[in-house]
Amino acid sequence: MVIMNEGDEMPVRDGVKRSLVGVIDDGTKTVRFVIYEAERSEELASYQLDKTEAQPQEGWYEQDPREILHHIKTCAENAVDQLTELGYSKEDIITLGITNQRETTIAWDKFTGEPLHPAISWNDIRTDSTVDAILAKVPDRNKNYLKNISGLPISPYFSALKMRWMKDNIKAVRRASRDKRLLFGTVDSWIVWNLTGGPLGGLHITDVTNASRTLLMNLETLNWDPMLCRLFGIHRDSLPQIHSSSEIYGTVKDGSILNGIRISGILGNQQSALVGQNCLQAGQAKNTYRSGCFLLYNTGTRRVQSTHGLLTTVAYKLGPNAPAVYALEGSIAVAGGAMKFLRDNLKLIKDVAQDTEHIAGQVFSTGDVYFVPALNGLYAPYWRKDARGIICGLTAFTTKNHIIRAALEAVCFQTRDILEAMNKDCGMPLSKLHVDGKMTSNDLLMQLQADLVGIPVLRAQSWDMSALGVAIVAGHSVGVWSCDRWRHHATPTDTFLPTTTDDDRDARYTKWKMAVQRSLGWASTKKSITMTGQKRKPSIYAGTLTPPDSRKNSDVAQIIDEINPAPDDEGIDIEELMQHSARKFSIFVPLKLPKDEHTILDDAEYYMNKKECDYGMCQCCKPERKLQTNWKTIEEIIENEPEIIFDSEDQPQVCESKQDEAYEPPVGGVVKKRIHIKRIPAIFRNISNKFTNTSPT
């Protein structure tokens, strides 16, 4: 026994004291603070707290930005307290790195530091209507139109849609935007701004990996794209400045236990796991197995535009002057979620971690049973929201053991789907697959994965590699953790080698594709009125309710009475009518149909079932029925579109001026403009007719 005298320091590991790197790891459900010794992959100390996630409506997910800051301080204090027993102190932490959940978006006041709305989580799908409005502006309403610029489709997934939604629907955000005190950012921006002083000079920054997930960054220039900002109506002054993933950004000045420590690394959590897995060379890939799966494939400095349903993103940028490294990304909607489905819905298992491996291991195969867990549609590379889960190949001898094993194989087959798409896109076959995440503790799953993709699977000994990745880039920027040496570092892993033949795995994969084909088309998808341009069917009005063109029992009569009629038939004050459009005219729809079940896939494949007639491209319709839209360039569309500006009473005003021109509210708060009545939309002509008691011309 070694007796320590009072005042003696505890010995450090291996007797060698190293510089320490602290990491703030903000996930969807937890906040962690982890401390590493430089150039060591094992965690030295850590502490974590669970977060509160609110769901005010179906498909809406929110977080409290203040809780994130509170948990960071609490976790840091507890992790630092552990250093004393390890022979270290807070002064040994020379730098900080930040890794975070991507796409989650926060709006706050730059003068008060107060959040203007709860953080909208990455998996929130409230922006469906915003997606429709944006798609209506792009040629052919093509959701992939912006992929050549941003690498991403127009989807509720990404931050630009969440920012636009807040500006459209949250009064506090609109006012802050009007008063030039609005700041937008992903979680990393919120954390850095508060750590570096907040309203007292806090840094409003982000890194290229998080910026590449907003739908606003140009992948070539690595800066905010003016056209994209204009399209989504986001002013560049409200966005953070984009930096590399590894540089000294600033110093903590919040008075917490971290005060005075430099911040020198920022990475989105999936990109951080790619670095932590040492996938720093082109042709390497990692897969994170959680409730869903996130697979990133390093393509080096080459930007690969996927034609097989994958996303292009920035993997990392190791310094201001270093080249950006890119990646293809594919996501699986249901992985660990399938096991929870077997437990909670079908009651086939009681404990996911123990029962899945034990019960599935009691049979040597699935008995040709295939489970496609498309519970809310299929993600990459299919992007089919009309798909639904199926179990096929059942026989009289099928047991729950076969079904549970089939659920495990489904995760592996979906991973192979993405790897096949990645190989087609970039032509660089994968030689090994690095894996992490809670599901990787299942040895049977890992062996099945190796068998079904035909390459070695290397499991990290730490299930969460996100914190390690950003620790590496943060240490790299201050010279205590060399990325060049890390490339050649042998990270401890457990290796699973394939045990099946090529013919066997290909035969099983062929049957999996057959099962996927049978899962498609089960759900009928409801098309948005904004997207189809079709009128509502008369059948939605009950017989006793007033039809839309009647003044009886309608608030429209009151609206009309409040507006003075135009002095002649040649023109009317259209802007006065515009004040009462949108929200108040919604009373024309007295009944609401039951909402369809929506998922984050609702933006995908809008026109899968549409015909040429819907686009006016056919030869069978009369010329007057065809759409006469002449899309020249998206820039021209945006340039000519009137801008809506809210006055001091939060009333919408139509402004024909350019975006860059200063806007001065008109006297009385009403913009006056005379236009010919033939140019007025039909809904306004009907109201005008009621003013003048004349027939439409």
Side-chain angles (χ1 to χ4, degrees):
M1 175 183 292
V2 178
I3 301 176
M4 299 292 297
N5 296 322
E6 185 175 356
D8 289 348
E9 292 185 357
M10 295 291 291
V12 297
R13 289 192 295 187
D14 299 337
V16 179
K17 197 168 186 178
R18 298 171 177 261
S19 299
L20 302 184
V21 179
V23 171
I24 296 170
D25 183 356
D26 175 71
T28 306
K29 297 182 179 180
T30 62
V31 173
R32 304 175 69 218
F33 190 86
V34 187
I35 302 174
Y36 291 91
E37 293 175 301
E39 300 193 330
R40 286 181 179 268
S41 59
E42 301 84 10
E43 295 180 1
L44 178 67
S46 66
Y47 194 85
Q48 78 175 44
L49 289 173
D50 291 336
K51 294 165 63 174
T52 303
E53 186 175 59
Q55 190 175 3
Q57 297 185 34
E58 182 180 358
W60 293 30
Y61 297 93
E62 297 178 349
Q63 301 172 25
D64 184 356
R66 299 183 191 87
E67 183 185 57
I68 295 174
L69 299 178
H70 172 268
H71 282 7
I72 289 173
K73 293 180 180 180
T74 303
C75 291
E77 290 171 357
N78 283 273
V80 170
D81 286 344
Q82 300 173 28
L83 292 179
T84 304
E85 297 180 355
L86 300 170
Y88 287 100
S89 66
K90 178 250 182 180
E91 285 68 29
D92 294 314
I93 303 177
I94 64 170
T95 192
L96 290 176
I98 297 171
T99 183
N100 58 284
Q101 50 180 318
R102 304 171 304 169
E103 296 102 12
T104 297
T105 307
I106 303 174
W108 69 95
D109 190 309
K110 69 178 179 182
F111 295 126
T112 67
E114 289 298 311
L116 301 173
H117 188 266
I120 301 181
S121 296
W122 61 272
N123 54 343
D124 185 288
I125 59 169
R126 73 184 67 188
T127 59
D128 279 347
S129 59
T130 309
V131 169
D132 290 349
I134 297 299
L135 285 175
K137 297 180 181 181
V138 302
D140 298 325
R141 297 171 178 175
N142 178 10
K143 67 182 179 63
N144 292 318
Y145 185 78
L146 305 178
K147 286 189 73 174
N148 288 335
I149 303 173
S150 66
L152 309 174
I154 301 173
S155 163
Y157 213 13
F158 305 112
S159 303
L161 280 303
K162 305 178 195 301
M163 296 177 189
R164 181 71 255 176
W165 184 90
M166 284 192 273
K167 288 190 70 173
D168 288 341
N169 295 276
I170 306 302
K171 185 179 295 186
V173 175
R174 287 203 306 270
R175 288 177 174 172
S177 178
R178 183 188 62 205
D179 298 340
K180 300 186 183 302
R181 52 187 174 86
L182 171 65
L183 294 181
F184 276 126
T186 44
V187 178
D188 60 304
S189 299
W190 168 250
I191 293 173
V192 172
W193 188 82
N194 281 278
L195 289 182
T196 56
L200 303 176
L203 299 174
H204 192 211
I205 64 173
T206 188
D207 90 300
V208 289
T209 65
N210 282 289
S212 70
R213 308 295 293 185
T214 61
L215 239 177
L216 295 174
M217 192 188 83
N218 187 306
L219 286 180
E220 181 177 359
T221 65
L222 301 181
N223 209 336
W224 303 121
D225 188 271
M227 188 273 288
L228 294 180
C229 291
R230 184 75 182 275
L231 173 63
F232 290 98
I234 307 300
H235 201 284
R236 294 180 69 176
D237 288 347
S238 65
L239 296 173
Q241 185 178 2
I242 301 176
H243 287 256
S244 72
S245 307
S246 180
E247 62 180 273
I248 300 175
Y249 311 109
T251 304
V252 178
K253 300 176 182 177
D254 66 344
S256 70
I257 196 170
L258 302 176
N259 205 61
I261 303 177
R262 294 174 294 181
I263 304 172
S264 61
I266 302 174
L267 283 172
N269 56 4
Q270 298 306 322
Q271 286 92 335
S272 190
L274 187 76
V275 176
Q277 288 275 25
N278 202 1
C279 296
L280 300 179
Q281 297 181 7
Q284 294 182 320
K286 73 88 193 174
N287 195 13
T288 299
Y289 296 75
R290 295 178 179 171
S291 178
C293 287
F294 298 90
L295 201 157
L296 263 68
Y297 187 107
N298 187 329
T299 62
T301 56
R302 181 166 63 110
R303 293 193 315 277
V304 177
Q305 296 295 338
S306 174
T307 57
H308 297 87
L310 305 178
L311 310 179
T312 305
T313 189
V314 178
Y316 52 84
K317 188 174 187 288
L318 299 178
N321 299 319
V325 174
Y326 298 89
L328 285 175
E329 179 171 344
S331 54
I332 297 171
V334 180
M339 311 308 150
K340 294 179 181 178
F341 174 79
L342 297 180
R343 179 193 65 189
D344 300 336
N345 295 56
L346 301 186
K347 311 298 182 184
L348 296 184
I349 56 177
K350 294 182 179 179
D351 185 271
V352 171
Q354 298 179 5
D355 292 352
T356 51
E357 182 173 5
H358 173 69
I359 298 176
Q362 294 177 1
V363 292
F364 294 104
S365 72
T366 64
D368 270 350
V369 172
Y370 288 83
F371 177 20
V372 182
L375 306 180
N376 289 306
L378 287 172
Y379 275 29
Y382 305 102
W383 296 108
R384 291 290 296 264
K385 63 178 179 178
D386 63 340
R388 286 297 179 265
I390 64 168
I391 301 176
C392 56
L394 299 175
T395 70
F397 302 99
T398 300
T399 66
K400 71 175 184 179
N401 306 62
H402 298 100
I403 295 175
I404 295 171
R405 190 180 180 100
L408 292 176
E409 287 194 355
V411 178
C412 306
F413 281 127
Q414 291 180 92
T415 298
R416 176 165 175 175
D417 284 336
I418 294 176
L419 292 177
E420 294 277 347
M422 289 179 172
N423 189 30
K424 293 175 183 176
D425 280 329
C426 59
M428 292 187 292
L430 200 63
S431 60
K432 57 185 176 181
L433 177 64
H434 296 266
V435 300
D436 65 282
K438 289 186 176 180
M439 284 191 72
T440 59
S441 62
N442 188 320
D443 289 344
L444 176 60
L445 174 64
M446 295 296 95
Q447 186 58 56
L448 290 172
Q449 186 68 85
D451 289 341
L452 294 176
V453 298
I455 57 176
V457 171
L458 281 61
R459 178 177 64 189
Q461 293 186 354
S462 173
W463 65 268
D464 187 0
M465 302 299 287
S466 297
L468 176 60
V470 79
I472 294 169
V473 301
H476 172 77
S477 64
V478 297
V480 299
W481 206 321
S482 171
C483 283
D484 291 333
R485 284 200 298 269
W486 181 253
R487 293 176 192 271
H488 306 289
H489 174 75
T491 306
T493 59
D494 301 318
T495 303
F496 296 83
L497 300 175
T499 59
T500 58
T501 64
D502 291 341
D503 290 341
D504 179 57
R505 74 173 60 95
D506 290 342
R508 294 164 69 186
Y509 185 60
T510 299
K511 289 189 176 181
W512 159 258
K513 301 291 281 188
M514 293 168 58
V516 169
Q517 190 65 33
R518 285 159 173 76
S519 74
L520 305 178
W522 284 96
S524 59
T525 57
K526 179 182 178 182
K527 296 182 178 63
S528 165
I529 291 180
T530 305
M531 294 304 304
T532 61
Q534 298 173 354
K535 297 181 180 179
R536 294 183 182 271
K537 296 181 179 180
S539 60
I540 67 170
Y541 301 104
T544 58
L545 294 177
T546 305
D549 57 352
S550 172
R551 289 171 56 107
K552 183 179 180 181
N553 297 328
S554 172
D555 289 345
V556 178
Q558 181 180 352
I559 296 173
I560 294 174
D561 292 339
E562 293 175 356
I563 304 175
N564 295 324
D568 53 61
D569 293 342
E570 294 299 315
I572 64 172
D573 292 329
I574 186 66
E575 283 75 16
E576 291 190 73
L577 295 179
M578 285 295 294
Q579 293 184 23
H580 300 279
S581 65
R583 295 171 185 157
K584 291 193 177 182
F585 282 136
S586 63
I587 59 176
F588 285 160
V589 187
L591 292 181
K592 292 185 178 180
L593 292 175
K595 291 185 177 180
D596 290 350
E597 180 183 1
H598 291 292
T599 72
I600 202 168
L601 293 173
D602 284 339
D603 70 304
E605 306 296 343
Y606 270 114
Y607 297 98
M608 185 185 309
N609 299 318
K610 291 179 72 66
K611 302 177 181 178
E612 289 184 344
C613 299
D614 296 312
Y615 298 102
M617 302 295 293
C618 65
Q619 301 299 323
C620 58
C621 297
K622 296 181 180 179
E624 58 268 19
R625 286 194 58 195
K626 293 189 177 183
L627 299 177
Q628 300 300 320
T629 306
N630 182 18
W631 298 97
K632 293 185 178 179
T633 64
I634 190 170
E635 291 85 354
E636 180 179 345
I637 299 165
I638 300 167
E639 185 71 22
N640 295 332
E641 183 186 31
E643 184 178 1
I644 304 298
I645 298 179
F646 291 83
D647 61 19
S648 58
E649 298 180 354
D650 289 312
Q651 293 295 327
Q653 306 294 334
V654 178
C655 179
E656 297 287 352
S657 61
K658 308 294 185 195
Q659 180 177 343
D660 296 332
E661 296 178 1
Y663 171 69
E664 297 182 0
V667 178
V670 178
V671 181
K672 298 289 184 179
K673 180 184 176 184
R674 314 285 298 180
I675 65 175
H676 196 278
I677 193 169
K678 291 183 178 181
R679 296 178 57 192
I680 301 173
I683 186 172
F684 296 119
R685 290 205 300 270
N686 291 338
I687 297 177
S688 176
N689 294 338
K690 295 183 182 296
F691 297 160
T692 59
N693 294 321
T694 60
S695 300
T697 57

